[in-house]
């Protein structure tokens, strides 16, 4: 019932951001299926493919750092429009160029995702905007829908990619390389559509617009922990005022509050260790592994990853329930640990049906930690620092993810790609252990903020 209320009462800006993440992840789903295979068709070695992914992630980290740190000064809407323009240009370059260096620069500037997951500044800015527009008691549901639309987009992109490549290659007899180039043309077209959509965001997304009646604050500010929050007031009864000035934001941009300085390093250790493991076996390498180990067709791969991403999207919804009943920290641990074990087991199976089943089980549980993570971050950190905090966290995760692909390329060149599954799962389990030791006690305080005492009638 609360999920339906959050969906129905969500303001227009939140719905636009949901559409944005759907389109973006659809484009990542497209390119993720062909990136490794496209580079291989250009006679790039597996070692250099791994290096390509690592350098791309490093470049994305630097760009994300700049754009997210100053997003509130530049303007969140401006940053998102600029990012989509860069995506559009990058897709066009990939469709016409075969030069390794040029493609690398295009991947960095245009946010071509080696992992099929979020890269670039979009995720940080979007999540900060959603948190800004949403009261505490509706954040789990709103973030759950955000995750649902993201993974649904990735699922659709994967499926469309597989069908498109096989159709033009088998039916129209196009060379595979030309089929892969067409996918990047589609990536560019989606980015253009997303750019148009971003122009319709209102000034309410900016940090300069503050809800005077139901402002959100740090978890340590207990004055509003038991305050009633009604989503129905969003966009209807809110009194908004402009933030003082860009100069005031600039004055705060170089420092973080004591609350943030205390919690952020501890969270970064957990999130970066998790991402370190993920970097050893990102989605593009999983696609490559299934292609080589089980000789799956493009349609077969697209269908498999359509189902895994579809299951991902469905699992985003119960994750909101877990976050509001168990607490975000317990939810992260109880969902991530099984997913890590499923992923490790893929390395030990030689049957494509069993491997596909384990991958589906992994995806059914891995995404359930996304909403609890968002709730944990947005509940602990001060509202006015969310954009920077989200940016730092996502940059840290991307930087940690940079390390793995170059080693995975070496493993692939020596026919030991399956070891990447083991490293990935091991790092996730270690991260869960550290998270439980440091943050498990905070669940009760966060639950007090995210629990609705009286639900509005539907």
């Amino acid at each position: 019932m609360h999920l339906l209320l959050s969906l129905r009462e969500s303001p227009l800006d939140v719905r636009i951001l949901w559409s944005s993440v759907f389109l973006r992840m659809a484009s990542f789903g497209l390119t993720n299926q062909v990136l490794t295979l496209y580079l291989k068709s250009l006679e790039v070695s597996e070692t250099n493919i791994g290096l390509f992914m690592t350098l791309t992630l490093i470049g994305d980290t630097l760009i994300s750092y700049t754009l997210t740190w100053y997003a509130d000064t530049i303007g969140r809407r401006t940053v998102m429009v600029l990012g989509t323009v860069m995506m559009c240009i990058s897709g066009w370059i990939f469709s016409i160029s075969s030069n390794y260096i040029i493609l690398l620069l295009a991947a960095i500037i245009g946010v071509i995702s080696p992992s099929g997951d979020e890269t670039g500044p979009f995720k940080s800015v979007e999540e900060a905007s959603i948190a800004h527009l949403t009261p505490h008691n509706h954040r789990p549901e709103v973030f759950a829908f955000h995750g649902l639309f993201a993974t649904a987009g990735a699922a659709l992109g994967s499926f469309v990619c597989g069908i498109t490549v096989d159709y033009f290659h088998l039916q129209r007899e196009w060379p595979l390389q030309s089929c892969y180039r067409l996918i990047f043309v589609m990536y560019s077209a989606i980015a253009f559509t997303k750019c148009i959509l971003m122009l319709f965001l209102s000034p309410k997304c900016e940090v300069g617009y503050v809800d005077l009646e139901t402002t959100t604050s740090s978890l340590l500010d207990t004055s509003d922990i038991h305050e009633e929050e009604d989503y129905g007031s969003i966009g209807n009864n809110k009194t908004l005022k402009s933030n003082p000035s860009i100069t005031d934001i600039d004055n705060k941009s170089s420092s973080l509050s004591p609350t943030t300085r205390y919690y952020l390093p501890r969270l970064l250790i957990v999130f970066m260790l998790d991402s370190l493991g993920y970097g050893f076996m990102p989605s593009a390498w999983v696609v490559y592994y299934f292609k080589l180990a089980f000789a799956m067709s493009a349609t077969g791969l697209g269908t498999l990853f359509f189902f895994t991403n579809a299951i991902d999207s469905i699992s985003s919804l119960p994750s909101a329930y877990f976050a509001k009943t168990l607490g975000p920290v317990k939810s992260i641990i109880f969902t991530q640990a099984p997913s890590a074990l499923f992923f490790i087991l893929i390395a030990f199976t030689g049957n494509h049906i069993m491997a596909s089943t384990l991958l589906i089980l992994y995806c059914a549980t891995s995404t359930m930690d996304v909403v609890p993570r968002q709730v944990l971050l947005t509940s602990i950190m001060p509202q006015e620092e969310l954009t920077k905090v989200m940016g730092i966290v996502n940059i840290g995760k991307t930087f940690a993810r940079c390390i793995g692909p170059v080693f995975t390329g070496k493993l692939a060149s020596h026919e030991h790609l399956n070891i990447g599954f083991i490293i990935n799962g091991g790092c996730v389990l270690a991260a869960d252990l550290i998270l439980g030791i440091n943050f498990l006690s905070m669940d009760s305080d966060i639950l007090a903020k995210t629990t609705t005492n009286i639900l509005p009638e539907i």
Side-chain angles (χ1 to χ4, degrees):
M1 182 177 292
H2 208 224
L3 274 169
L4 294 177
L5 177 65
S6 299
L7 180 63
R8 189 183 68 187
E9 298 285 353
S10 59
L12 178 61
D13 286 317
V14 169
R15 298 183 185 198
I16 291 175
L17 292 172
W18 285 342
S19 302
S20 168
V21 74
F22 176 85
L23 290 173
R24 182 171 69 257
M25 293 306 296
S27 66
F28 288 167
L30 281 169
T31 58
N32 177 63
Q33 293 293 302
V34 301
L35 178 61
T36 308
L37 299 174
Y38 177 55
L39 293 174
K40 190 68 176 176
S41 75
L42 297 176
E43 300 183 354
V44 178
S45 68
E46 291 166 326
T47 299
N48 284 335
I49 291 174
L51 180 63
F52 183 97
M53 293 182 182
T54 291
L55 293 176
T56 297
L57 290 169
I58 291 174
D60 286 343
T61 301
L62 297 175
I63 291 175
S64 297
Y65 172 80
T66 303
L67 291 179
T68 54
W69 189 259
Y70 295 102
D72 290 337
T73 303
I74 300 169
R76 292 172 177 174
R77 292 172 297 167
T78 302
V79 168
M80 286 189 275
V81 169
L82 178 61
T84 54
V85 171
M86 293 159 61
M87 286 177 63
C88 189
I89 295 172
S90 177
W92 174 72
I93 291 175
F94 262 77
S95 70
I96 63 173
S97 178
S98 302
N99 183 275
Y100 183 88
I101 301 300
I102 292 175
L103 292 178
L104 176 60
L105 293 174
I108 293 171
I109 295 172
V111 203
I112 297 289
S113 174
S115 62
D117 203 352
E118 291 280 16
T119 56
F122 304 107
K123 179 179 174 66
S124 307
V125 178
E126 280 182 355
E127 289 179 352
S129 298
I130 288 175
H132 183 71
L133 293 162
T134 310
H136 281 287
N137 64 313
H138 282 270
R139 284 185 189 173
E141 289 82 6
V142 171
F143 278 128
F145 279 115
H146 191 69
L148 183 150
F149 290 119
T151 48
L156 180 62
S158 299
F159 187 64
V160 170
C161 177
I163 291 177
T164 301
V165 169
D166 269 355
Y167 171 75
F168 282 96
H169 179 57
L170 300 177
Q171 302 297 324
R172 304 292 294 273
E173 298 183 350
W174 285 22
L176 271 175
Q177 192 176 112
S178 298
C179 298
Y180 299 151
R181 291 182 188 276
L182 176 62
I183 296 300
F184 289 103
V185 172
M186 295 168 66
Y187 176 90
S188 186
I190 293 174
F192 178 78
T193 304
K194 184 178 181 294
C195 182
I196 300 299
L197 189 65
M198 292 297 93
L199 297 176
F200 289 93
L201 287 171
S202 78
K204 294 179 183 179
C205 294
E206 306 294 350
V207 72
Y209 278 77
V210 181
D211 179 3
L212 298 181
E213 295 178 2
T214 57
T215 52
T216 54
S217 63
S218 167
L219 178 62
L220 298 186
D221 180 7
T222 59
S223 62
D224 69 341
I225 285 182
H226 301 292
E227 178 183 344
E228 297 294 335
E229 291 176 317
D230 184 352
Y231 207 162
S233 66
I234 300 297
N236 298 323
N237 302 320
K238 288 177 81 171
T239 302
L240 301 174
K241 74 180 185 71
S242 178
N243 206 44
S245 68
I246 291 178
T247 304
D248 293 331
I249 298 174
D250 279 333
N251 290 336
K252 297 178 181 179
S253 66
S254 59
S255 63
L256 296 171
S257 67
T259 301
T260 301
R261 290 199 300 269
Y262 178 80
Y263 286 115
L264 187 56
R266 291 162 174 78
L267 287 171
L268 276 174
I269 292 172
V270 175
F271 294 160
M272 289 179 70
L273 180 58
D274 179 279
S275 289
L276 174 66
Y278 184 75
F280 278 89
M281 208 63 191
S283 186
W285 277 121
V286 176
V287 171
Y288 189 71
Y289 176 80
F290 273 76
K291 176 72 174 179
L292 289 188
F294 308 117
M296 296 182 69
S297 66
T299 299
L301 287 169
T303 303
L304 173 61
F305 282 86
F306 169 78
F307 279 112
T308 57
N309 283 302
I311 290 170
D312 263 355
S313 64
I314 295 171
S315 66
S316 297
L317 296 180
S319 67
Y321 172 78
F322 293 147
K324 295 185 75 169
T325 53
L326 300 176
V329 178
K330 290 189 188 74
S331 298
I332 293 170
I333 295 172
F334 291 163
T335 57
Q336 267 204 341
S339 72
L341 293 175
F342 292 138
F343 207 63
I344 290 172
L345 289 174
I346 294 175
F348 300 99
T349 181
N351 182 283
H352 79 278
I353 295 177
M354 180 60 69
S356 298
T357 301
L358 288 170
L359 184 64
I360 290 172
L361 289 172
Y362 161 74
C363 291
T365 50
S366 63
T367 307
M368 287 186 181
D369 76 316
V370 175
V371 172
R373 284 171 183 256
Q374 293 163 331
V375 172
L376 179 63
L377 270 175
T378 59
S379 297
I380 292 176
M381 301 302 174
Q383 169 72 21
E384 65 274 11
E385 294 181 348
L386 275 180
T387 304
K388 287 188 286 187
V389 168
M390 294 287 193
I392 292 170
V393 169
N394 288 318
I395 289 165
K397 289 167 62 178
T398 304
F399 181 76
R401 200 175 294 177
C402 295
I403 300 171
V406 65
F407 292 101
T408 307
K410 293 284 188 181
L411 291 173
S413 66
H414 291 86
E415 299 183 354
H416 294 304
L417 188 56
N418 61 325
I419 295 177
F421 291 101
I422 301 172
I423 298 174
N424 181 312
C427 288
V428 171
L429 292 174
D432 287 344
L433 179 62
I434 296 171
L435 178 68
I437 292 172
N438 287 277
F439 289 94
L440 194 59
S441 61
M442 299 192 69
D443 268 351
S444 58
D445 290 331
I446 296 173
L447 282 173
K449 273 201 152 189
T450 58
T451 299
T452 304
N453 296 322
I454 300 176
L455 288 178
E457 292 183 3
I458 295 182

